[in-house]
Each structure stands twice: as structure tokens, then as C-alpha cells.
Amino acid sequence: MLNRIVIGLVVGVLATVIFFNGAWALLQSGLGWLPAAAPKPWAYAPTVPPFGVPRMINLPFWGGVWGMVLSLVLARARGAAYWLGWTLLGAVALTLAGNFVVPLIKGQSVADVTNAFSALRFRNGLVLNGAWGLGAAILLRLSGQAPR
């Protein structure tokens, strides 16, 4: 189990750096879904409140945490359930947490999906976090630690 947790951490960090930020770059410069004023992928600024941690340290840290959690939750998933589990849980769980849990922890208001800006943010979150989940599944499979 410890091996699964450590591999989940590493896979989650790498999936953030490679797949989440790769999708961010595609959404920002390729599709124009993210405003040009949004932080650039792989950027250290802006820092993330409340502790002022650089963005490019904060995101992989939380990607690693989620990688550990999902590697345990999906430990027995096989075949299509493995791929869908990582992709959909990544997309949905991370986006829900980012829009409804994290703001509460930071003393901010939660997302209002009836608001056009929040709805776009939610859509982008599903795409970005889904890319993270799929990327984590790919990296876990490449590591030889994914169930067959």
C-alpha cells in the first residue's frame, strides 16, 4: 500500500506538470477558452493565498495529494473502469473541490454556476482536471504500477 501511495504522489505531481499544464496551454493559447490575462502554464506567479506559495509549486503539490487518494480509490479498477475512473473522478472530484471546498477554506464565496463566468470556470476545470486524471492514468500504466 505504501508503494501505491508513493507512486500515486509521483504520478499526480507529474500529471499536473505535464498534462494539466499542457491542457492549460492548449485552452489558453490554442482554443482561447482562458483569457490571455490568466496565469501562464508552468508559471511561478501569481502566488497562491493564504501562504503565498508559487503557483507552480502549489498545483503539483495538490496534484500529488489527489494522485495518492485516487491511486487508493481506484486500486482495483480494470479495463475501461480504470481509464474512466481516473478521467472522470479527476474531472469531477477535483473540479467540485476547487469550486466548492477550496473557496470555503480560503474564506471566499463558492462558485455560482448560474453566473456565466463561473460556468466557464467550471467547464474549464472539468477539461483541465480530466486531462490531469487521464494523464495520471497513463503515467501510472507506464510506471508498471497500474492494475492490468
Side-chain angles (χ1 to χ4, degrees), residues 57-141:
I57 293 173
N58 185 66
L59 288 175
F61 170 80
W62 288 108
V65 170
W66 279 105
M68 290 187 296
V69 170
L70 292 187
S71 71
L72 294 173
V73 169
L74 298 168
R76 290 191 168 89
R78 305 279 188 275
Y82 170 81
W83 297 103
L84 287 172
W86 274 96
T87 303
L88 293 178
L89 271 176
V92 174
L94 277 66
T95 301
L96 289 175
N99 283 281
F100 298 107
V101 177
V102 172
L104 291 176
I105 293 170
K106 292 182 176 184
Q108 302 167 345
S109 60
V110 298
D112 174 10
V113 293
T114 62
N115 173 296
F117 175 77
S118 292
L120 290 176
R121 183 173 168 220
F122 198 80
R123 177 206 61 194
N124 292 342
L126 290 171
V127 172
L128 294 168
N129 294 318
W132 173 88
L134 179 60
I138 291 168
L139 292 172
L140 191 59
R141 180 60 62 100

